[in-house]
Amino acid sequence: MSIQPPRNSLSAAAEPPAPHSARLDSSDSSTTTFTMAGDDGQVDPAHRQTDQQHLNGGSEKPRPPRLSIETLPELDPIPTLMSPRHNTMNPFRRVNNPLEIDDYFTGPRDTQKHSKWPLFMQMHGSILPKMMLPLLGVGAWTTMLTVINFKVTNLGIHNILLTVLGFVVGMGLSFRSSTAYERYSEGRRYWASLLLVCQTLGRVFWVHAKEREGELGKKDVLAKLTVLNLMVAFSVALKHRLRFEPYTCYDDISHLVAHLDTFAQRATEEEPDKTLKSLQGPGFFKSVGEYIGVSFAASNPRKVIKKASRPLGNLPLEILCYLATYTDELIANGQLPVPMQQTLAYNNMAILNDVLVGTDRVLSTPLPIAYAIAIAQITWVYILLLPFQLLPTLGWITIPATIAAAYIILGLLMIGREIENPFGRDVNDLPLESYCAQIAEDMDIIACRKRRTTNADWIENIDNKPLWPLSNSGWQVWMNRGEDVIREAVHMKLESNFETRKELDKLQSEMSLMDKVRRMSRATGCNV
């Protein structure tokens, strides 16, 4: 038996230290890692030195005692099944940091938070930070031209170019904004389809798939829970794929796919140095440069993929293959006997594949570079020529007028550039973390109820009032009445609802008329 470091040290480092007197890591079936720790979770220095000598190939190789179930130390009692989650950070939260200032300057925007500031005063999500340097440049350029115009020579020209070039710039910016928002909207539709498919497949696997008797029934329940987790893993893996994060070392996916044999999992285990670099974010100055829109500070998002020395595979597609084999096994075992349910399962898995391909298409098909360059060049030519046309009319007011015009024009240009890729980490990008959290919550909602074999418990319930609001009588009362009486009551319910709606409409019109009379009486000073 040899002592080896844990296989997935990156994901283990993010977890809190084990509260037990010993930690057992059985990630590798052929080796066992046993680390003695004190009550405070710190490793004894003597044991650490001994382990280090062993790893370095020292002459002394002490043999720790062979472990078995009988010789394992007693574990601390766990009060509830959910107690380990109390000290575990939410893997679907975007930033595991209590400082909300980090969330303010990074994205995507948390849609659950509400700001009471007026919309025109809000900075979170505004394009203004990326426009500060261009606006400063425009201000300096306009100031220089204005000083030369009044101190050296006249630089003013006729403003006919405002009309001619303004129309062209407006058309270009309109085209740029419309194509960018189309990609943004299409990306949102694909994630809405993913949410619908996960809910549908969750119902098929949990509600429609039969569970066998005895010990096989327990295996079926655990298999269903595993498959529901796989659908969550598919959404999280798709999010990382769209952000060019190919490894499985991230907190929100490492535990969901650790049991799967995938290319990304192998690359994560065999390339720890590159995996560690993928977890490291940009430095402070680089982050500030990206935030204020400095193009030289922007990193290549595909850098991690380009530097990989092993095949990274396609993790969402591999997860989809596992889902397909599970569906085949359900049908082969006779647990999904209804043909319509089988068709529903296979059709929705095909939609999952369509979502995967469609989001890849949105990501890899931006606006053609010729259009992007031409629109940017035309816009900047118009802004740089604008002071020459405003000087004869506005004089020194040309400086603030040009800056205001540049703010409007460049704002539209940069908004189109930011939302062109809706899957990134900009503040205005789609909140993919929220979508993944919603899918995980939906899977838990589906699985929290036992699969029903009969519906009598809720249909024959005493609180069930089939003919409400016509009658407050419960199910048992109507069961003691004849079928003709029930059908007549259904007809009376329709008539009663119709009459009620008419009375409510009449009352609403009378109240509206009375309100108008009161307003007129206040305006004229007459008492009504």
Side-chain angles (χ1 to χ4, degrees):
M1 179 176 63
S2 61
I3 300 177
Q4 296 184 359
R7 183 181 62 172
N8 195 355
S9 58
L10 292 173
S11 61
E15 298 180 355
H20 313 303
S21 59
R23 288 175 292 172
L24 179 63
D25 181 29
S26 58
S27 58
D28 193 337
S29 60
S30 61
T31 61
T32 303
T33 301
F34 183 73
T35 305
M36 299 302 297
D39 294 337
D40 56 352
Q42 302 296 327
V43 180
D44 187 17
H47 289 281
R48 183 188 292 111
Q49 182 178 3
T50 304
D51 294 346
Q52 188 65 31
Q53 291 178 355
H54 188 190
L55 292 173
N56 294 336
S59 57
E60 297 182 2
K61 298 181 179 180
R63 294 180 177 272
R66 183 177 298 275
L67 296 178
S68 64
I69 300 297
E70 292 77 10
T71 60
L72 282 176
E74 295 184 1
L75 301 179
D76 295 338
I78 298 178
T80 63
L81 292 175
M82 292 300 293
S83 57
R85 290 284 291 133
H86 294 337
N87 297 321
T88 304
M89 295 178 292
N90 183 4
F92 296 105
R93 188 174 185 270
R94 184 180 71 252
V95 178
N96 292 316
N97 193 328
L99 299 178
E100 294 186 0
I101 191 66
D102 294 342
D103 296 342
Y104 193 84
F105 294 105
T106 58
R109 185 173 64 91
D110 190 353
T111 55
Q112 296 182 355
K113 294 182 179 180
H114 172 69
S115 176
K116 295 184 178 180
W117 286 93
L119 194 59
F120 71 94
M121 296 180 64
Q122 295 182 18
M123 287 295 297
H124 185 56
S126 172
I127 203 68
L128 182 60
K130 290 184 172 62
M131 297 176 60
M132 290 190 296
L133 292 181
L135 291 179
L136 289 175
V138 170
W141 167 257
T142 307
T143 303
M144 182 188 69
L145 294 181
T146 305
V147 171
I148 293 175
N149 178 76
F150 286 101
K151 301 296 183 180
V152 181
T153 182
N154 184 22
L155 298 178
I157 61 176
H158 197 275
N159 58 6
I160 188 66
L161 288 177
L162 282 173
T163 305
V164 177
L165 295 181
F167 176 76
V168 178
V169 172
M171 292 290 292
L173 293 178
S174 176
F175 175 72
R176 174 70 165 165
S177 300
S178 61
T179 54
Y181 184 75
E182 181 182 358
R183 292 163 52 82
Y184 184 90
S185 178
E186 191 172 5
R188 180 65 184 94
R189 284 196 296 269
Y190 278 120
W191 276 89
S193 299
L194 176 60
L195 180 60
L196 174 62
V197 169
C198 288
Q199 292 176 353
T200 305
L201 285 178
R203 288 187 291 105
V204 170
F205 292 142
W206 189 263
V207 178
H208 298 311
K210 296 181 178 180
E211 298 169 5
R212 292 168 290 186
E213 299 293 335
E215 193 70 18
L216 293 177
K218 186 190 303 182
K219 293 178 61 177
D220 291 339
V221 172
L222 293 176
K224 288 182 178 183
L225 292 173
T226 303
V227 170
L228 295 185
N229 287 337
L230 275 189
M231 284 186 284
V232 179
F234 178 89
S235 63
V236 179
L238 179 61
K239 179 196 71 173
H240 287 296
R241 176 176 174 81
L242 296 175
R243 292 178 176 173
F244 307 106
E245 298 168 348
Y247 296 106
T248 61
C249 55
Y250 307 100
D251 292 337
D252 55 357
I253 196 172
S254 58
H255 299 290
L256 292 174
V257 298
H259 57 291
L260 304 181
D261 182 16
T262 60
F263 287 101
Q265 183 72 15
R266 294 181 183 178
T268 302
E269 297 170 357
E270 299 177 10
E271 295 182 342
D273 52 341
K274 296 180 180 179
T275 303
L276 183 61
K277 290 181 180 179
S278 68
L279 291 174
Q280 297 174 350
F284 173 76
F285 294 102
K286 196 174 183 113
S287 300
V288 172
E290 291 180 354
Y291 182 69
I292 63 176
V294 179
S295 59
F296 295 101
S299 302
N300 181 8
R302 296 174 174 83
K303 178 174 61 176
V304 176
I305 298 177
K306 292 175 65 176
K307 291 184 177 181
S309 58
R310 290 191 54 84
L312 300 175
N314 188 335
L315 185 56
L317 181 60
E318 295 175 72
I319 294 175
L320 188 58
C321 293
Y322 280 97
L323 290 174
T325 56
Y326 175 76
T327 306
D328 292 340
E329 184 178 355
L330 282 181
I331 297 174
N333 293 337
Q335 296 176 257
L336 203 63
V338 181
M340 187 61 190
Q341 297 170 357
Q342 301 173 7
T343 304
L344 187 64
Y346 285 121
N347 287 346
N348 279 274
M349 279 190 290
I351 298 176
L352 283 181
N353 208 339
D354 180 66
V355 169
L356 173 60
V357 175
T359 50
D360 276 343
R361 175 177 57 82
V362 173
L363 180 67
S364 59
T365 314
L367 184 70
I369 190 65
Y371 276 109
I373 293 175
I375 292 174
Q377 290 176 344
I378 292 171
T379 303
W380 275 105
V381 167
Y382 179 81
I383 292 174
L384 295 178
L385 293 179
L386 190 58
F388 294 97
Q389 305 168 69
L390 298 180
L391 279 171
T393 306
L394 301 180
W396 289 99
I397 307 299
T398 300
I399 298 175
T402 305
I403 294 176
Y407 174 79
I408 297 172
I409 297 172
L410 292 178
L412 296 175
L413 178 66
M414 293 185 178
I415 288 174
R417 183 185 304 171
E418 180 166 328
I419 68 173
E420 187 177 27
N421 175 16
F423 308 124
R425 296 185 179 274
D426 293 328
V427 178
N428 290 290
D429 289 335
L430 293 173
L432 303 187
E433 286 83 4
S434 299
Y435 302 154
C436 294
Q438 180 64 46
I439 292 174
E441 182 180 359
D442 291 343
M443 297 301 102
D444 291 340
I445 291 174
I446 293 175
C448 71
R449 299 291 182 183
K450 183 179 179 181
R451 179 181 180 272
R452 296 180 181 273
T453 57
T454 177
N455 297 308
D457 57 335
W458 59 274
I459 294 179
E460 300 178 8
N461 194 289
I462 190 174
D463 294 325
N464 179 22
K465 300 175 182 179
L467 292 174
W468 189 89
L470 176 67
S471 172
N472 285 325
S473 300
W475 184 87
Q476 289 83 355
V477 175
W478 288 102
M479 275 295 295
N480 294 326
R481 299 176 181 176
E483 181 179 352
D484 295 337
V485 176
I486 297 176
R487 295 189 181 276
E488 183 179 358
V490 173
H491 181 75
M492 291 176 59
K493 179 182 177 182
L494 176 61
E495 296 288 343
S496 175
N497 290 340
F498 180 75
E499 294 296 334
T500 302
R501 283 195 299 268
K502 288 183 62 177
E503 292 178 359
L504 289 176
D505 292 341
K506 182 179 179 181
L507 180 60
Q508 185 177 4
S509 62
E510 292 177 355
M511 293 178 62
S512 177
L513 180 60
M514 291 298 297
D515 290 338
K516 291 180 180 179
V517 172
R518 291 193 191 97
R519 287 195 296 267
M520 291 178 62
S521 64
R522 292 195 204 99
T524 58
C526 299
N527 294 326
V528 180

